[in-house]
């Protein structure tokens, strides 16, 4: 974890790009003659008190444990090019730091008499007197921009801060204890840091086991048996600390099942920006239909809005025209959008806070649905409305899906697509209607597009719905172009309607209801844009 500083005299990873002068004269010249930067401390950002409350909740679940929550570092895309950086969701949720997170930062909750003391470790600004400033393209300010000071971040997030170099000492002094489970880490966030913590655990557990082997040397137990027992005990410790880390990940997921007031406000804002993005796509339909890669025009049009209004898209935009709409996660988006096609657009704007919307609308490229397209669209809408009508506090989350499936089974049976009745198809051992909708109807939504994914099943699919939960309702029907179980007129039609739902004290609110949903509304939307 020690901070690696690259000097101009050292060979960078790609020597062919090394053109920085290495002379003392250059060093002296480039490190002088700079104006003083004004120092203005910010007020704590809006989400800071909410993040503090979340930290208290996770602290209460893991008393006397050191909890390590990394933001994660940049990830390589190719050669010396990285993917756009995004901090791990658990880190952002507990710090309030979003799109402006300094890569490699780590939140540590250290046990204290009051519960835990938080400290955020980050790579601070090195200043223009350091050769890092101009010679290190990975983190140098000449290359990537100025980093905030420790004091600035502390004021901004209302969190004590420290340098990553200090974290080195903190980790070195950790006592992992209790088979390695006195320290917990979000394993997936920063693999290098996780390996280091695992090495500390292994070192401490191995030392304790070695002492036990030595202390038993005067007994009648053969030394080989003692060593085998120690090896087995180490394996058990490894299993134990992996399990403890998994429990932390689970608790961090379940912490997000019910949204606080700040999160709900962010969801509204993300949905409003997404609405604008869909308006942009509808306005661009003439260009979309005329371009040989119309799907890319859809994608680019929406993604432009996401970058203007927020951080980026919350997930790869699905722009699926014609038969591509039958491919659930079609993200290649390289096909045309023909005048008679339906184009299924599944997209969401992610804000700088990292909260995202997740909306799907299916549009007739020509502006009007034909009879079969409308029949399928109306069936999906009916399923969505039935699912929404089921939402209220106290139901099981799976009941939302069940309500949608009642409609999907009934409609596909009415159209003669099932070998049994709708009631028979709904039996667990049948499920013939699921051929045309293999995915679930709902998932939780928030700082992750599939939020709370590591929550226990008893808290998620089988969990009780509570006020403050936000999740999608997204039924669909997909008739593959080569599906011989459906009449030819259905083949190649794919429809999904997806909305973002807030559970209220007495029922539910469709947060994305303002984005046209019914077939008539969609046609009028396109007509207004064309006029």
């Amino acid at each position: 974890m020690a901070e690696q500083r690259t000097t101009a005299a050292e060979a960078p990873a790609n020597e062919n790009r090394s053109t920085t002068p290495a002379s003392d004269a250059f060093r002296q010249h480039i490190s002088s003659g700079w104006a003083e930067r004004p120092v203005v401390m910010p007020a704590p950002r809006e989400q800071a008190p909410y993040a503090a409350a979340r930290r208290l909740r996770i602290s209460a679940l893991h008393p006397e444990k050191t909890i390590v929550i990394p933001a994660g570092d940049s990830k390589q895309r190719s050669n010396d090019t990285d993917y756009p950086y995004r901090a791990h969701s658990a880190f952002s949720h507990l710090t309030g730091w979003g799109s402006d997170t300094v890569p490699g930062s780590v939140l540590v909750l250290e046990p204290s008499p009051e519960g835990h003391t938080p400290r955020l470790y980050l790579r601070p600004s090195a200043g223009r007197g350091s050769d890092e400033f101009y010679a290190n393209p990975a983190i140098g300010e000449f290359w990537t921009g100025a980093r905030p000071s420790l004091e600035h971040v502390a004021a901004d997030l209302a969190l004590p801060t420290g340098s990553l170099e200090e974290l080195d000492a903190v980790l070195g002094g950790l006592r992992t204890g209790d088979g390695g489970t006195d320290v917990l880490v979000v394993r997936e966030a920063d693999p290098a840091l996780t390996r280091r913590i695992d090495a500390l655990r292994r070192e401490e557990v191995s030392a304790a086991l070695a002492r036990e082997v030595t202390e038993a040397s005067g007994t009648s137990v053969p030394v080989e048996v003692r060593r085998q027992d120690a090896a087995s005990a180490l394996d058990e410790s490894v299993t134990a600390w992996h399990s403890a880390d998994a429990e932390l990940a689970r608790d961090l997921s379940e912490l997000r099942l019910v949204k606080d007031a700040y999160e709900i406000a962010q969801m509204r804002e993300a949905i409003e920006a997404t609405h604008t993005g869909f308006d942009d796509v509808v306005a661009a339909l003439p260009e979309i239909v005329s371009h040989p890669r119309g799907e890319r025009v859809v994608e680019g049009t929406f993604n432009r809005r996401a970058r203007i209004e927020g951080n980026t898209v919350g997930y790869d935009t699905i722009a699926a025209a014609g038969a591509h709409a039958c491919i659930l996660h079609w993200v290649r988006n390289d096909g045309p959008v023909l005048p008679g096609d339906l184009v299924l657009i599944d997209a969401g704007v992610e804000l700088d806070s990292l909260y995202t919307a997740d909306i799907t609308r299916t549009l007739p490229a020509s502006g009007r649905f034909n009879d079969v397209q409308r029949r399928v669209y109306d069936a999906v809408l009916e399923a969505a409305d039935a699912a929404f009508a089921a939402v209220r506090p106290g139901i099981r989350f799976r009941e939302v899906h069940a309500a949608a499936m009642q409609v999907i089974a009934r409609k596909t049976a009415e159209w003669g697509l099932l070998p049994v009745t709708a009631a028979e198809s709904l039996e667990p051992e049948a499920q013939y209607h699921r051929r045309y909708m293999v995915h679930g109807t709902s998932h939780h939504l928030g700082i992750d597009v599939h939020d709370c994914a590591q929550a226990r099943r008893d808290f998620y699919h089988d969990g009780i719905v509570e006020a403050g939960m936000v999740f999608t309702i997204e039924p669909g029907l997909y008739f593959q172009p080569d599906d011989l179980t459906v009449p030819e007129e259905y083949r190649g039609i794919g429809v999904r309607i997806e909305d973002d739902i807030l559970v209220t004290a007495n029922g539910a609110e469709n947060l994305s209801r303002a984005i046209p949903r019914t077939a008539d509304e969609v046609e009028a939307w396109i007509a207004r844009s064309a006029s």
Side-chain angles (χ1 to χ4, degrees), residues 20-276:
T20 306
S23 68
D24 288 339
F26 174 78
R27 287 197 190 97
Q28 293 171 7
H29 184 62
I30 198 171
S31 62
S32 62
W34 300 103
E36 286 292 324
R37 288 173 176 162
V39 177
V40 179
M41 289 295 107
R45 60 180 65 185
E46 179 187 0
Q47 56 265 49
Y50 293 97
R54 298 165 198 156
R55 292 193 297 272
L56 289 176
R57 290 172 61 194
I58 205 67
S59 170
L61 293 173
H62 298 276
E64 301 180 2
K65 307 286 187 181
T66 299
I67 303 171
V68 181
I69 303 167
D73 224 328
S74 300
K75 295 179 175 62
Q76 183 185 38
R77 183 181 186 273
S78 66
N79 194 22
D80 56 353
T81 302
D82 291 334
Y83 287 103
Y85 180 72
R86 186 191 190 278
H88 191 278
S89 296
F91 173 90
S92 290
H93 192 242
L94 294 186
T95 63
W97 218 357
S99 63
D100 55 339
T101 298
V102 173
S105 300
V106 182
L107 173 67
V108 179
L109 305 181
E110 298 187 64
S112 68
E114 295 75 29
H116 284 86
T117 299
R119 186 170 294 274
L120 177 59
Y121 296 92
L122 63 141
R123 180 180 289 111
S125 175
R128 288 162 168 164
S130 165
D131 54 5
E132 174 192 281
F133 165 56
Y134 62 88
N136 189 330
I139 59 175
E141 293 187 17
F142 224 121
W143 299 83
T144 62
R147 295 193 302 277
S149 67
L150 298 179
E151 296 76 16
H152 185 281
V153 174
D156 190 14
L157 302 179
L159 258 175
T161 57
S163 167
L164 276 181
E165 291 178 336
E166 296 174 44
L167 177 61
D168 221 28
V170 170
L171 293 180
L174 283 179
R175 300 272 70 84
T176 62
D178 196 23
T181 62
D182 279 356
V183 176
L184 306 176
V185 62
V186 179
R187 301 190 65 83
E188 66 184 17
D190 188 332
L193 181 57
T194 297
R195 286 192 296 271
R196 175 157 187 204
I197 290 173
D198 283 350
L200 291 170
R201 289 162 154 167
R202 186 178 295 273
E203 180 180 324
E204 190 165 327
V205 171
S206 296
L209 292 171
R211 287 192 297 271
E212 292 178 12
V213 169
T214 301
E215 290 167 1
S217 60
T219 69
S220 59
V221 180
V223 66
E224 189 56 37
V225 172
R226 280 182 267 135
R227 287 173 178 164
Q228 289 175 357
D229 289 345
S232 177
L234 178 58
D235 288 343
E236 290 175 4
S237 292
V238 171
T239 299
W241 75 58
H242 276 266
S243 177
D245 290 343
E247 288 180 15
L248 173 64
R250 176 201 73 193
D251 292 341
L252 290 167
S253 271
E254 292 173 0
L255 192 67
R256 305 203 299 264
L257 282 166
V258 176
K259 270 55 181 178
D260 58 38
Y262 173 79
E263 292 178 291
I264 292 170
Q266 288 296 290
M267 297 303 301
R268 292 185 186 278
E269 188 176 328
I271 290 163
E272 184 178 351
T274 300
H275 187 172
T276 305

